[in-house]
Amino acid sequence: MKKKMLKNNVTVFIACLALFNIATGCSKSASNVNTEVSNATTETTRNGNNKDGQSGTNPLPSPSAMPTPDASPKTVQVRLTEVETNADIIDSPLPDSLINLKSGDSSSNKKTNKDGVVVFDAVPCGNDVVITAHDVENDEDVVLKSRLECKGTQVDLGVLTRPFGGKFILEQRKPQAMGYDAIKEIWQTMDGKRVPDQEVERILRRYNYGSN
């Protein structure tokens, strides 16, 4: 009877020991799994951070700077006076005369008014301009160049003149209107002011035209 009970107790002990080992093994397995998950999470977090300790989230690329558009070229208003210089009235206006003004890619055609004046708007400055005038007497185009500086709002290119029936030339000066009074034997402006003989000689010599 005692042997049977001892045998039964041993059997129960073995069963309990087996259950204990199984429980312990499961606990260890679960612990290992939790440890691996924890290690994997830690490794992921570490890999997500860069070497400088900054957040692993890649910063959004900064938008590329938009190119600044080139500033529009500066422009000025251009004034030009076309005249015919002769012995009676030094600068006689040439009205209704077609003139072309070209500056870079800009080109414009205009006619002179009754005073021989033509004005071109919004002409690109800071470069050479090309002036083309038609010589009616010789039925030909005359091409001249002038430097157009960016000064003020209007630039006066001067006088485009055809002295004494010759070729057109461009002079950086104001128009001069004067005539000879045969009775008084003097040169005077159109408003009656006398012009010194020395000034008359200088003007006439400029065009290789004698005063006698």
Side-chain angles (χ1 to χ4, degrees):
M1 185 67 175
K2 291 182 179 180
K3 289 182 179 180
K4 186 175 181 181
M5 291 178 64
L6 177 62
K7 184 178 180 181
N8 290 337
N9 289 337
V10 171
T11 301
V12 171
F13 175 78
I14 293 173
C16 290
L17 181 62
L19 291 174
F20 176 80
N21 289 335
I22 292 172
T24 303
C26 291
S27 177
K28 288 182 178 179
S29 298
S31 177
N32 290 338
V33 170
N34 291 335
T35 302
E36 291 175 0
V37 171
S38 176
N39 291 339
T41 304
T42 303
E43 187 66 24
T44 302
T45 303
R46 289 177 179 174
N47 291 337
N49 296 331
N50 57 30
K51 60 183 178 180
D52 295 329
Q54 297 176 349
S55 173
T57 304
N58 293 328
L60 294 175
S62 57
S64 56
M66 296 296 292
T68 303
D70 295 336
S72 300
K74 186 175 181 181
T75 61
V76 293
Q77 190 179 69
V78 175
R79 176 188 173 95
L80 185 66
T81 305
E82 186 177 25
V83 301
E84 182 174 22
T85 306
N86 52 55
D88 296 324
I89 300 177
I90 295 300
D91 286 335
S92 178
L94 292 176
D96 202 33
S97 179
L98 183 64
I99 296 179
N100 174 269
L101 183 67
K102 187 176 187 302
S103 177
D105 296 330
S106 174
S107 181
S108 179
N109 292 303
K110 281 194 173 183
K111 287 187 176 183
T112 58
N113 61 17
K114 63 181 181 62
D115 298 316
V117 176
V118 61
V119 176
F120 296 90
D121 296 318
V123 180
C125 56
N127 50 264
D128 289 338
V129 293
V130 179
I131 304 165
T132 303
H134 185 69
D135 186 345
V136 178
E137 296 293 331
N138 299 306
D139 193 23
E140 63 180 6
D141 288 336
V142 178
V143 179
L144 301 167
K145 289 185 178 181
S146 179
R147 183 70 182 175
L148 181 60
E149 301 294 346
C150 298
K151 295 181 179 179
T153 57
Q154 186 184 84
V155 176
D156 193 341
L157 288 183
V159 174
L160 181 63
T161 178
R162 193 164 63 87
F164 305 107
K167 298 289 186 180
F168 272 113
I169 59 174
L170 183 64
E171 297 184 330
Q172 301 299 319
R173 63 176 178 82
K174 297 292 184 180
Q176 302 171 110
M178 61 183 187
Y180 184 71
D181 187 330
I183 298 176
K184 296 181 180 179
E185 296 184 344
I186 61 171
W187 287 85
Q188 59 186 9
T189 60
M190 300 309 294
D191 57 0
K193 294 181 180 179
R194 179 172 180 174
V195 180
D197 292 341
Q198 296 85 350
E199 177 67 12
V200 176
E201 291 290 339
R202 186 186 65 81
I203 294 173
L204 295 178
R205 282 198 305 269
R206 185 169 67 220
Y207 303 123
N208 297 319
Y209 190 88
S211 58
N212 294 327

